[in-house]
Amino acid sequence: MKKFLITFGIIIAVLLILFGVNIWYSANVLTVNTYNINTDKLNNSVKFVLISDLHNKQFGENNIDLVNKIREQNPEFIAVDGDMVTDENDSREPVIKLLPQLCKIAPVYYVLGNHEKTYGEYDKLIEEIKSSGVTFLDNEMVTFKTQSKEIITIGGLTDYPYYEYEAPDYDNPARHFLDSFIEQEKENYSILLTHQPEVYFWGLKDKNIDLMLCGHTHGGLVRLPLAGGLIAPNQGWFPEYDMGYYSSGTVEMIITSGLGNSIGIPRLNNPPEVCVVEIN
C-alpha cells in the first residue's frame, strides 16, 4: 500500500509539473503558423504577418522578442487585428512602444478590437496609435502595392453592419464602408481586417470578399486534442470558429489565436501565435 501511494503521489506530481509547464509555454513561447492562400487575381506571391490580442503582454523588454520574430518572417506588410490593449487596464504602453518598431519592418495596418472601443482613455489611445506610423483603418480602405507592383485593397471593418436595431436601412458607417469595399473587390484582391469572426457566420461569409482576417477568440483558450478550442466569445463551448483557416466558397477567413489573454482562464496547449499568410 505504501509503495502504491508513493507511486501515485509521483504520478500526480509529474502531471502537475507538466500542467504548469504547459501553462507557462502557452503564455510565453512565441510560435509561427503559416497559411497558404491561392488566387488568380495576383500573378506573384505576397507574404504578410497577422497579429492580434496582445492585451498588454510583453515578450521581452518592449516586446523585442515579438518584434524579432516578426522581422524573421520578412513580411511585405503587417496586419494588426485589434485588442492590443485590455479595456479595464489603464496601460497602453506595450502597444504604443510596439507599433513604431513594427513600422520599421514593414507597413502596418491596424483595426480596432472590442477592447480598444471600450478603453477608458479611448481618444488618447487612438491619437497615439495614429501617431505611431501605422495606417489606422476605422471603416476605411487603402491600396497596397506589393513588391511585384500588384495592387491589393486592405480594409478595416470596425463593427458588424447588420445588427437588428439598425434595420431596415442599416444606415451606419460600417455598412456604407462594406458596400464600397465589396464593390471595389471586383477589381483588386481584397483583404478585410475585422476583429471578431462572428461577423463571418452572422452574414459576411456570403459576401464577395477574398480574404478576412480575424482574432478575438484566443484560439478557444484551452485547446483539447481532436476537439479544438474550449470556449470563445459569442460562440460558447467548443466553438466552430476558433483558429485557423475557413472557407465559405466566396470568402476565405483566417483566425489567429492571438498573443495574450484578458481573462482569468489560462491558455493551455495554445501558445502565442505569429500568423504568416502567403498568397500565391
Side-chain angles (χ1 to χ4, degrees):
M1 184 65 178
K2 182 178 180 180
K3 185 176 180 180
F4 169 79
L5 291 175
I6 291 173
T7 302
F8 181 75
I10 291 173
I11 292 172
I12 294 299
V14 169
L15 291 175
L16 289 174
I17 291 170
L18 292 175
F19 183 74
V21 168
N22 195 311
I23 289 178
W24 179 88
Y25 177 84
S26 293
N28 297 289
V29 178
L30 288 165
T31 59
V32 176
N33 289 322
T34 300
Y35 299 90
N36 288 281
I37 303 292
N38 296 316
T39 180
D40 57 7
K41 286 188 174 182
L42 298 174
N43 296 315
N44 298 279
S45 297
V46 60
K47 180 170 73 171
F48 65 91
V49 161
L50 166 66
I51 60 171
S52 183
D53 298 275
L54 183 68
H55 288 295
N56 298 324
K57 176 71 177 174
Q58 294 267 22
F59 297 93
E61 185 176 359
N62 293 328
N63 269 306
I64 188 60
D65 294 341
L66 174 59
V67 171
N68 287 338
K69 184 68 72 174
I70 292 173
R71 183 182 290 112
E72 289 171 5
Q73 312 314 313
N74 193 30
E76 290 198 39
F77 66 89
I78 301 166
V80 180
D81 219 344
D83 275 12
M84 301 297 279
V85 297
T86 300
D87 56 5
E88 68 269 17
N89 188 324
D90 291 336
S91 175
R92 56 185 178 271
E93 183 176 346
V95 66
I96 298 306
K97 288 189 174 182
L98 171 65
L99 293 177
Q101 298 180 81
L102 297 183
C103 289
K104 293 179 181 179
I105 299 173
V108 178
Y109 300 92
Y110 193 116
V111 71
L112 294 174
N114 53 291
H115 278 262
E116 281 94 350
K117 287 185 285 187
T118 55
Y119 186 75
E121 295 185 300
Y122 173 84
D123 291 338
K124 289 184 179 180
L125 172 65
I126 300 306
E127 180 183 348
E128 292 177 357
I129 290 173
K130 289 181 176 179
S131 63
S132 69
V134 310
T135 299
F136 181 67
L137 298 174
D138 182 8
N139 294 321
E140 298 168 277
M141 58 183 165
V142 295
T143 56
F144 172 78
K145 183 178 288 188
T146 70
Q147 293 175 0
S148 56
K149 310 302 182 184
E150 296 186 272
I151 300 300
I152 292 175
T153 300
I154 302 175
L157 179 67
T158 301
D159 209 345
Y160 185 60
Y162 304 117
Y163 288 116
E164 289 184 2
Y165 62 82
E166 297 274 13
D169 55 0
Y170 303 106
D171 185 14
N172 60 71
R175 199 272 293 177
H176 294 302
F177 157 73
L178 188 63
D179 287 350
S180 299
F181 183 81
I182 291 172
E183 179 63 26
Q184 73 74 42
E185 192 271 344
K186 298 173 183 177
E187 303 296 329
N188 301 332
Y189 187 85
S190 64
I191 299 176
L192 182 67
L193 280 66
T194 183
H195 179 68
Q196 298 176 218
E198 299 95 275
V199 303
Y200 173 82
F201 58 83
W202 283 346
L204 268 61
K205 67 179 181 179
D206 297 322
K207 304 292 185 181
N208 289 318
I209 300 168
D210 290 315
L211 179 62
M212 284 178 56
L213 304 176
C214 303
H216 190 55
T217 65
H218 298 187
L221 283 175
V222 176
R223 296 199 61 79
L224 304 172
L226 302 179
L230 181 64
I231 189 170
N234 293 316
Q235 296 188 65
W237 298 101
F238 304 106
E240 181 178 357
Y241 303 95
D242 53 5
M243 70 172 291
Y245 170 84
Y246 304 86
S247 176
S248 65
T250 57
V251 181
E252 294 181 284
M253 176 174 67
I254 293 174
I255 305 173
T256 175
S257 65
L259 296 163
N261 200 359
S262 62
I263 61 176
I265 302 174
R267 296 168 69 114
L268 189 68
N269 291 329
N270 185 17
E273 179 183 50
V274 172
C275 184
V276 177
V277 181
E278 296 187 13
I279 305 174
N280 305 300

